[in-house]
Amino acid sequence: MNALLMTLIVVALAWFWSSAMRAKERALALGAAACRSVGVQFLDQTVSLNRLGLGRDSRGQMTFQRVYAFEFSKDGEHRREGRVAMQGDKVKAIHLDHPDGPIVIEPDQLER
């Protein structure tokens, strides 16, 4: 019985890690695309997990809600923060703290 329990735990951890890596890769690509679409520089070519929680999707199923943060610059001198909000595998919105005012981009507005 202990072997079965350990196997289930390892499988669950592997699934969680794989899901987290796919979400991070998607957030990275969409953060870079959002920066390109508004004409700013995507800095450091990376995103970092800022928040992780549980929530319900539109069908009422429990999903992970993740917020990834990244940095961008309009002038190459001052760093600004951007965020990619995800619910499960779906990107809900991308938010840029642009110096001219906040910008919220829906994922379907970006070219892939």
Side-chain angles (χ1 to χ4, degrees), residues 2-68:
N2 286 337
L4 178 61
L5 181 61
M6 287 302 289
T7 301
L8 289 175
I9 289 171
V10 168
V11 167
L13 287 173
W15 172 84
F16 178 77
W17 180 81
S18 175
S19 171
M21 291 297 103
R22 280 192 314 272
K24 184 175 181 176
E25 288 172 9
R26 187 144 191 237
L28 178 65
L30 287 171
C35 287
R36 277 191 308 276
S37 75
V38 297
V40 297
Q41 182 182 8
F42 184 66
L43 299 176
D44 304 328
Q45 305 303 308
T46 188
V47 295
S48 62
L49 184 63
N50 208 18
R51 199 174 330 157
L52 174 66
L54 291 174
R56 296 198 181 271
D57 64 11
S58 59
R59 298 179 310 215
Q61 294 181 344
M62 292 293 286
T63 61
F64 285 108
Q65 294 182 339
R66 297 176 173 101
V67 177
Y68 289 92

